[in-house]
Amino acid sequence: MTENIKDITNSSTPPSGGRGAIKAGIIGGAGYTGGEMLRILINHPNVEIAFAHSNSNAGNFIYEVHTDLFGDTDLKFAAEFTTDVDVLFLCVGHGDAKKFLDANEIPDNVKIIDLSQDFRLTQNSKLNTKNFTYGLPELNREAIKTAENIANPGCFATCLQLGLLPLASKGLLNNEVHITATTGSTGAGQSLAATSHFTWRNDNLSVYKAFNHQHLNEIGQSLKQLQPGFDKAINFIPYRGDFTRGIIASMYTESDLSEEEALALYQSYYDGHPFTYVTNRNIDLKQIVNTNKCFIQVKKHDNKIFIISIMDNLLKGASGQAVQNMNLMFGLDERAGLRLKATAF
């Protein structure tokens, strides 16, 4: 047994209740995640974009900012927004989502999908009057289907959780976990910083936030959801890569499972989840960049289970997963608008 091939034949269905297209609004449409959201929703079979809001680019054509969308849309960035939508995507910076919701009254019938970290942790999920469900479909799919609002997971958090959840689901995380992961430059956002300039990033590699990355909090929260007694250290060393997009994470922990048992466990856990695939073959970033997929490689070395998890930080790690959550919330095919082509070469 080497890898799982999934036969998922559901076709896209209209929004629940026989209604027309889902009306979507985007707050913060000029950044990386906002741009990816626009690219997906412009081609989504069940969505109409009501507006894309941007303070800095109001009045400009979207294609003047996201130049690859020239010929795909004549929409302009809006200075104002309306609550006459079905779903509102918050593609804003950390801290800004809470400020936006504190300053603006959004009706309860409008579903909010927040891509910041503001509401991901349980203790923060009710900082506003809204209730947020943690939106990792491979963990909370049934809860997402009936959720009022979604806190979209972080990019590193998604990649690492998908590498560890099957073990936690069987109470098998009984030793320290060691993780090294490298992310592309888009993970730092669009605002320039000393470590995001091309002249610094190109032909370079650096460690940052060793052992105390902020995504460890949501990773620990999810692992304890499946394995309540989990109390071992997660030793996480993140790297800044000299490439644009994608995350590759390697992780290992001591385990009594054989490689065959580990593969069977992972394939069983992700059976029916259309974007996460398991193999014991070698994997690389070009297989998943520009897609909403996560590939997981599972191997056994002596007494250690060795896991590699790869995904696109802007899609499965942000905007793609947000649309996946929207699909679940509105009763659509989970893959609607997300059948995307990998870079490949």
Side-chain angles (χ1 to χ4, degrees), residues 138-163:
E138 293 80 359
L139 176 67
N140 290 330
R141 175 191 267 168
E142 294 308 311
I144 290 166
K145 290 179 180 179
T146 58
E148 298 174 29
N149 307 291
I150 292 293
N152 213 56
C155 53
F156 265 137
T158 298
C159 192
L160 304 190
Q161 286 176 88
L162 293 179

Side-chain angles (χ1 to χ4, degrees), residues 146-309:
T146 58
E148 298 174 29
N149 307 291
I150 292 293
N152 213 56
C155 53
F156 265 137
T158 298
C159 192
L160 304 190
Q161 286 176 88
L162 293 179
L164 296 173
L165 290 180
L167 292 172
S169 73
K170 298 298 183 182
L172 296 177
L173 282 177
N174 299 315
N175 298 284
E176 288 191 3
V177 181
H178 302 271
I179 304 171
T180 299
T182 305
T183 186
S185 58
T186 51
Q190 199 168 39
S191 299
L192 282 177
T195 55
S196 61
H197 282 280
F198 176 82
T199 50
W200 186 91
R201 198 98 179 196
N202 187 51
D203 293 330
N204 203 2
L205 196 64
S206 68
V207 171
Y208 73 110
K209 297 182 180 178
F211 298 105
N212 64 1
H213 195 279
Q214 67 271 15
H215 288 185
L216 283 171
N217 293 322
E218 54 186 290
I219 294 168
Q221 175 177 274
S222 295
L223 295 180
K224 289 175 183 176
Q225 179 179 328
L226 292 181
Q227 185 175 334
F230 176 72
D231 60 356
K232 303 301 181 182
I234 303 175
N235 303 298
F236 176 33
I237 311 298
Y239 281 79
R240 301 179 181 98
D242 67 342
F243 50 91
T244 301
R245 55 196 297 168
I247 293 175
I248 180 166
S250 61
M251 55 200 94
Y252 66 89
T253 187
E254 293 183 8
S255 173
D256 293 330
L257 292 176
S258 67
E259 184 170 307
E260 291 74 18
E261 289 170 334
L263 273 168
L265 168 61
Y266 274 68
Q267 291 173 355
S268 174
Y269 185 91
Y270 290 117
D271 183 41
H273 290 284
F275 294 109
T276 304
Y277 290 82
V278 180
T279 181
N280 61 358
R281 300 178 182 178
N282 196 36
I283 55 179
D284 64 85
L285 284 180
K286 284 191 175 181
Q287 293 175 282
I288 51 79
V289 166
N290 292 328
T291 79
N292 198 53
K293 295 177 182 176
C294 176
F295 284 1
I296 297 173
Q297 179 184 354
V298 180
K299 301 287 286 184
K300 185 70 184 288
H301 293 277
D302 298 324
N303 66 334
K304 298 177 179 66
I305 291 292
F306 179 59
I307 304 128
I308 298 176
S309 179

